[in-house]
Amino acid sequence: MKYNIMVVLNSSYFNFGKVFMNSLYDNTNIDNIHTIFIIDTGLSESNKEYFKTFDKVYIHDSGIKTSFNDGGTFGNGWQQSVGSKTIIMKSLLTQTDLPLVMIDGDCIFVKDFAHLIDDSYDIQPCYRPKHGIPYIASFVIAHNTKNCITFLDRWIALIEEKSMNVPRESPSLGEAVLELKGKIKIGNISEVSVNTCSELVEDTLIIHLKGSSTSNNIEERESKSLTGNSIFSDFINKYK
């Protein structure tokens, strides 16, 4: 099954983006991917030229320019990106008949994940049942159905209702799932597969170098994730 990928990047996240792209091309079947939409929220020209060296990449201008050096995950730049992601996701989804997979830019691909895409569902979010926020928006598969558009509209509305100084994207995703469960077809994807944060297991397909609200700027965030994570250091060193 062909599918599209969407990832949001700015210059602050360029080093994460390099790991994302290099591991994607090394560890997945690129033939299954139609287009990789890199949503530009503040990439430099040299950043964009780097990403354009990869086949199938399309740089999508979001119309906003952000930096993550203004307060970490609760900073204005981060929250602007969060606010725009689902809106752009809906726009891209309606322009194609293919499934659209939205993946965070701080992810590393370990194995191919295409087998997870199941068009018998409207939306396939990452589910983490033991967490206080049971759904995480680091990996979401959207299918071009009327019900999925309804879901995205509600998710967008819930994000916009929340204050800018609190987590918005993942909590709103979970709220939308609870509200619309039974009305649309929701296929939970295990966090073990696409949101591995602390260990590598047989079922690991994607590592997520999770952000932290305790990181005050992107340098601190990058240091913790790309240079301070010994568990995933082999993958990081290979692809950075």
Side-chain angles (χ1 to χ4, degrees):
M1 176 185 290
K2 289 278 188 179
Y3 64 93
N4 294 324
I5 287 178
M6 169 187 158
V7 58
V8 178
L9 295 171
N10 62 13
S11 288
S12 298
Y13 248 44
F14 176 65
N15 288 333
F16 289 103
K18 287 171 64 179
V19 174
F20 181 102
M21 292 299 295
N22 287 319
S23 63
L24 175 69
Y25 274 73
D26 204 26
N27 295 317
T28 68
N29 185 350
I30 297 299
D31 289 341
N32 289 331
I33 302 173
H34 184 272
T35 304
I36 302 163
F37 293 100
I38 295 181
I39 311 306
D40 174 14
T41 59
L43 292 169
S44 69
E45 288 303 317
S46 62
N47 293 161
K48 286 185 275 190
E49 288 305 313
Y50 174 82
F51 290 127
K52 287 177 182 177
T53 63
F54 292 90
D55 187 28
K56 303 191 177 187
V57 163
Y58 177 84
I59 307 292
H60 179 88
D61 185 0
S62 70
I64 62 175
K65 303 298 179 186
T66 64
S67 170
F68 296 158
N69 284 318
D70 58 354
T73 54
F74 289 153
N76 185 62
W78 193 292
Q79 293 291 11
Q80 274 188 285
S81 289
V82 165
S84 68
K85 279 174 68 176
T86 44
I87 295 171
I88 295 171
M89 184 183 196
K90 176 187 171 184
S91 175
L92 293 177
L93 183 65
T94 57
Q95 296 176 46
T96 173
D97 292 330
L98 298 176
L100 178 62
V101 189
M102 183 173 74
I103 309 174
D104 275 4
D106 53 353
C107 286
I108 305 174
F109 298 89
V110 178
K111 300 175 185 176
D112 194 80
F113 63 86
H115 61 281
L116 298 177
I117 301 172
D118 186 344
D119 61 6
S120 67
Y121 296 107
D122 297 306
I123 192 104
Q124 296 178 262
C126 176
Y127 181 52
R128 46 181 188 175
K130 296 180 181 179
H131 196 280
I133 300 173
Y135 287 89
I136 183 167
S138 64
F139 184 95
V140 180
I141 302 171
H143 299 273
N144 192 353
T145 66
K146 182 178 178 180
N147 283 341
C148 186
I149 299 304
T150 297
F151 182 92
L152 293 176
D153 283 338
R154 186 56 184 148
W155 186 10
I156 290 166
L158 287 165
I159 290 173
E160 291 176 345
E161 289 172 7
K162 290 180 172 52
S163 169
M164 291 280 281
N165 62 350
V166 299
R168 299 190 297 155
E169 187 182 24
S170 292
S172 297
L173 171 62
E175 290 168 24
V177 169
L178 288 176
E179 284 187 22
L180 296 171
K181 190 174 182 179
K183 298 178 182 178
I184 70 173
K185 297 175 183 177
I186 299 168
N188 291 338
I189 295 177
S190 170
E191 64 174 333
V192 173
S193 296
V194 298
N195 188 52
T196 294
C197 303
S198 59
E199 62 179 340
L200 284 171
V201 297
E202 182 63 28
D203 293 336
T204 298
L205 307 175
I206 297 174
I207 295 166
H208 184 200
L209 300 170
K210 275 178 57 58
S212 171
S213 58
T214 61
S215 298
N216 294 317
N217 54 53
I218 193 63
E219 285 83 6
E220 184 178 345
R221 163 84 168 82
E222 185 176 313
S223 177
K224 289 179 179 180
S225 297
L226 288 179
T227 62
N229 199 324
S230 59
I231 298 171
F232 306 134
S233 59
D234 287 347
F235 282 96
I236 293 167
N237 290 331
K238 182 176 182 180
Y239 296 116
K240 70 180 182 179

